[in-house]
């Protein structure tokens, strides 16, 4: 059922790997036998580097989970298979072959993943295994423990660890997307797991609401809402809870953006017209960065927190600009388009995504962080509010291409890897950072290193 | 259009000053017989404002709310056209005649901007209308502003007639 919910477009098999699959696999093997429980493993020199080649995907064979323990383990294992397949196919990293659906395994596969579901009492143990292919030597085996309701979460953790083992960086299966469900008179903030499950409403403001933005810690969601006579910025715990007002003064406080150090950039008209400010996360200590009579809006932090991209119409039309975090060195960043807006800095700082208006609709573009090499990524229908995944490999955006408003995820070659089907008119997506905690193994997961050459 | 864009880069402050000083640059050429609103950065000519809310409103049996006419804008612009200024002159008279009335001016936009840009643009439209009324002689504390951006469209179509209806400063008696 889950697989039927999304139109997956698996990566084409035309990924002409510039690096040999086998050497990469061996390098990974060498990496993994050293043990990788550190949160920031020093593995740059051995990972499969995908960052320089967005076209390339890793061929992955997915084997059905086996089961042990109580009778419900079999049922649970069958449930786990499509969850993992969705996670891996939706990651933009892998070309997934399901061993239970195909008799001929792809010759260019580089790894095989699978494992076992064990249920004892109310405890599920998902034993995830990653092996190289075709030799099937064990790369890693990890036990993920949880209670009966935790299956999806355990599978997501395994999926993210698969990406970590095979690329050097964890995947994004445990992340969430915040978005706005727009109604005729009011809108509300929602959040959903990145695979489209677990959608829930976080606000009941019954008023216009825009601009969701995650705190760097994953713990809070900022947004702007028109309650009473003024737009203000609010923060609500991303797990649900009471919203608190952050901004003060003026009638327009919108476009919050949380910086890596907790500072909050946002737009306010409290000194006259829309200007960009930086304040503490609780709204105190606000300092104005732009000073002009033009529209300045939509700030986005560079991942270092040293610069801010934003939109201004100071040159006569809306365009993407950049400035230092103290407001210095304001200059236009994107040129060549009559209207560019909604900049978002990639998590690695090397790129920007933004929208360009063409003929009354918006396209999603990507450019280098210095504005060079801009290219259209999504042009079907009108596409707004692009926002990066925390690994910088995917972009979520809203589009009216199928009528209404829906959320889509694209990779950097423009392939839609997922459509997130949630009820209502979904807009304004914001991709969460990774949840806090060690990527590879938390308190309830243990990784077994293959025997042999430990350092 | 390109000329406008280039010119706006350094004319914009002058235009704003002109608006504050009581005469937009369009007013000089358009005083005797208001032409249709000038198009600025729009791909399509701005149509005549919708027929509703444009009648001079003097009828004593109408509420103040009914007498206050909305002001319409060109695409991606908060500039007050000559017809917008005429509308605001009439609105100012209504407010003068009803000294106890306070209003909120809502700034609205068509959907052809991003959500956040449109909120800033709607804010600018409402502020332009308020500034005009204050210069007309209405006490600033009787007029508040709020932007709705594209969040509460008056017309839901995706064509120019709907867009034109949605680019407005809308009066609400408090």
């Amino acid at each position: 059922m889950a697989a039927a919910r999304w139109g997956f477009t698996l990566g084409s098999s035309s990924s002409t790997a510039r690096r040999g699959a086998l050497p990469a696999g061996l390098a990974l093997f060498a990496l993994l036998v050293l043990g990788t429980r550190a949160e920031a493993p020093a593995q740059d020199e051995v990972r499969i580097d995908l960052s320089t080649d967005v076209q390339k995907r890793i061929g992955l064979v997915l084997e059905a989970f086996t089961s042990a323990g109580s009778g419900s383990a079999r049922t649970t294992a069958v449930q786990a298979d499509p969850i993992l397949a969705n996670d891996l196919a939706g990651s933009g990293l892998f070309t997934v072959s399901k061993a239970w659906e195909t008799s001929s395994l792809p010759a260019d596969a580089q790894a095989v993943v699978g494992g076992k579901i064990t249920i004892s009492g109310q405890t599920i143990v998902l034993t995830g295994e990653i092996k190289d292919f075709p030799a099937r030597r064990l790369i890693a085996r990890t036990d993920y423990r949880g209670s009966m309701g935790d299956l999806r979460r355990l599978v997501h953790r395994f999926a993210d660890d698969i990406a970590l083992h095979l690329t050097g960086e964890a995947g994004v299966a445990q992340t969430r997307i915040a978005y706005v469900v727009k109604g005729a008179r009011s809108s509300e903030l929602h959040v959903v797991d990145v695979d489209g499950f677990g959608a829930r409403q976080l606000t009941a403001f019954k008023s216009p609401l825009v601009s969701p933005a995650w705190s760097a810690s994953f713990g809070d969601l900022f947004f702007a809402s028109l309650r009473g006579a003024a737009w203000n910025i609010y923060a609500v715990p991303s797990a649900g809870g009471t919203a608190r007002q952050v901004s003060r003064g003026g009638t327009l406080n919108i476009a919050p953006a949380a910086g890596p150090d907790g500072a909050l950039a946002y737009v306010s008209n409290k000194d006259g017209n829309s200007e960009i400010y930086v304040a503490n996360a609780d709204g105190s200590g606000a300092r104005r960065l732009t000073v002009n009579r033009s529209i300045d809006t939509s700030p986005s932090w560079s991942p270092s927190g040293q610069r801010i991209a934003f939109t201004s119409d100071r040159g006569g039309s809306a365009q993407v600009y950049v400035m230092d975090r103290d407001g210095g060195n304001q200059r236009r960043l994107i040129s060549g388009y009559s209207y560019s807006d909604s900049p978002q800095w990639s998590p690695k700082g090397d790129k920007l995504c933004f929208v360009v208006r063409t003929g009354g609709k918006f396209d999603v573009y990507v450019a280098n962080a210095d504005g060079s090499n801009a290219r259209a990524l999504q042009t079907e229908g009108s596409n707004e509010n692009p926002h990066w995944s925390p690994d910088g490999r995917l972009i979520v955006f809203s589009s009216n291409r199928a009528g209404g408003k829906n959320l889509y995820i694209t990779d950097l070659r423009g392939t839609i890897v997922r459509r997130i089907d949630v009820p209502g008119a979904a807009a304004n997506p914001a991709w969460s950072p990774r949840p806090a905690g060690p990527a590879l193994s938390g308190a309830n997961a243990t990784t077994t290193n293959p025997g042999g050459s430990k350092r | 259009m390109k000329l406008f864009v280039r010119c706006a880069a350094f004319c914009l402050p002058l235009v704003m000053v002109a608006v504050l000083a009581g005469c937009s640059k369009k007013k000089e050429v358009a005083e005797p017989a208001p032409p249709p609103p000038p198009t600025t950065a729009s791909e399509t000519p701005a149509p005549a404002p919708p027929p509703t809310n444009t009648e001079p409103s003097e009828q004593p049996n109408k509420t103040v709310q009914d007498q206050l006419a909305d002001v319409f804008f060109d695409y991606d612009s908060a500039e007050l056209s000559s017809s917008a200024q005429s509308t605001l002159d009439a609105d100012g008279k209504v407010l003068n005649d009803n000294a106890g009335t306070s209003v909120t001016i809502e700034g609205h936009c068509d959907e052809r901007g991003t959500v956040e840009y449109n909120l800033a643009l709607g804010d600018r439209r409402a502020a332009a209308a308020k500034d005009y009324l204050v210069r007309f002689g209405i006490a600033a504390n009787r007029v508040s502003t709020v932007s709705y951006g594209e969040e509460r469209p008056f017309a839901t179509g995706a064509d120019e007639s709907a867009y034109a209806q949605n680019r407005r400063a809308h009066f609400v008696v408090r």
Side-chain angles (χ1 to χ4, degrees), chain A residues 182 185 211 231 298 341 357, chain B residues 75 114 116 147 151-152:
Chain A
K182 296 181 82 78
R185 302 289 295 172
S211 307
W231 287 90
S298 300
D341 198 348
R357 197 185 58 214
Chain B
Y75 171 63
T114 58
E116 289 170 353
S147 177
E151 303 303 307
R152 290 244 177 109

Side-chain angles (χ1 to χ4, degrees), chain A residues 214-218 220 222 257-266 277-285 287 289 300-308 324-326 433:
Chain A
W214 292 83
S215 67
S217 68
F218 187 87
D220 281 323
F222 298 95
D261 56 0
L264 190 70
Y266 65 101
Y277 294 76
V278 169
N280 300 319
D282 63 0
S284 65
R287 207 161 59 82
L289 301 189
S300 169
W301 291 91
S302 70
S304 68
Q306 294 308 303
R307 293 198 290 166
I308 295 172
D324 297 341
R325 72 170 289 154
D326 63 359

Side-chain angles (χ1 to χ4, degrees), chain B residues 3-82:
Chain B
L3 184 64
F4 169 80
V5 169
R6 220 178 306 135
C7 166
F10 80 54
C11 291
L12 198 54
L14 296 178
V15 172
M16 298 300 289
V17 167
V19 166
L20 290 170
C23 54
S24 88
K25 63 177 179 180
K26 302 292 181 198
K27 193 173 177 181
E28 298 164 38
V29 286
E31 195 122 10
T39 55
T40 52
S42 177
E43 296 93 343
T44 49
T52 54
N53 292 326
T54 53
E55 291 297 314
S57 37
E58 297 278 340
Q59 295 90 330
N61 57 336
K62 281 192 168 183
T63 65
V64 177
Q65 175 73 65
D66 289 338
Q67 293 176 59
L68 290 167
D70 290 354
V71 176
F72 294 86
F73 295 87
D74 287 337
Y75 171 63
D76 198 8
S77 170
E79 196 173 324
L80 297 172
S81 66
S82 53

Side-chain angles (χ1 to χ4, degrees), chain A residues 325-337:
Chain A
R325 72 170 289 154
D326 63 359
N329 291 318
Q330 299 189 17
R331 61 186 173 84
R332 186 161 163 186
L333 194 58
I334 302 294
S335 47
Y337 307 102

Side-chain angles (χ1 to χ4, degrees), chain A residues 362-400:
Chain A
F362 291 99
D363 298 332
V364 173
Y365 274 63
V366 172
N368 293 338
D370 63 1
S372 64
N373 285 333
R375 62 189 171 93
L377 199 61
Q378 291 293 331
T379 58
E380 183 187 349
S382 189
N383 310 289
E384 289 194 54
N385 295 109
H387 201 288
W388 295 92
S389 62
D391 64 359
R393 301 199 185 288
L394 302 171
I395 293 172
V396 66
F397 61 99
S398 68
S399 178
N400 67 358

Side-chain angles (χ1 to χ4, degrees), chain A residues 224-250:
Chain A
S225 183
L226 174 58
R227 285 188 111 173
W231 287 90
N232 273 297
I233 292 166
Y234 298 83
V236 66
S238 62
T242 306
R244 56 194 188 275
Q245 185 175 329
V246 171
S247 61
R248 292 161 196 86

Side-chain angles (χ1 to χ4, degrees), chain A residues 312-359:
Chain A
S312 179
D313 77 339
R314 64 187 65 180
S317 65
Q319 299 291 349
V320 173
Y321 284 70
V322 65
M323 62 183 163
D324 297 341
R325 72 170 289 154
D326 63 359
N329 291 318
Q330 299 189 17
R331 61 186 173 84
R332 186 161 163 186
L333 194 58
I334 302 294
S335 47
Y337 307 102
S338 62
Y339 183 118
S340 61
D341 198 348
S342 305
Q344 285 284 333
W345 224 302
S346 74
K348 292 185 173 59
D350 58 334
K351 293 187 177 72
L352 286 170
C353 63
F354 55 99
V355 297
V356 164
R357 197 185 58 214
T358 47

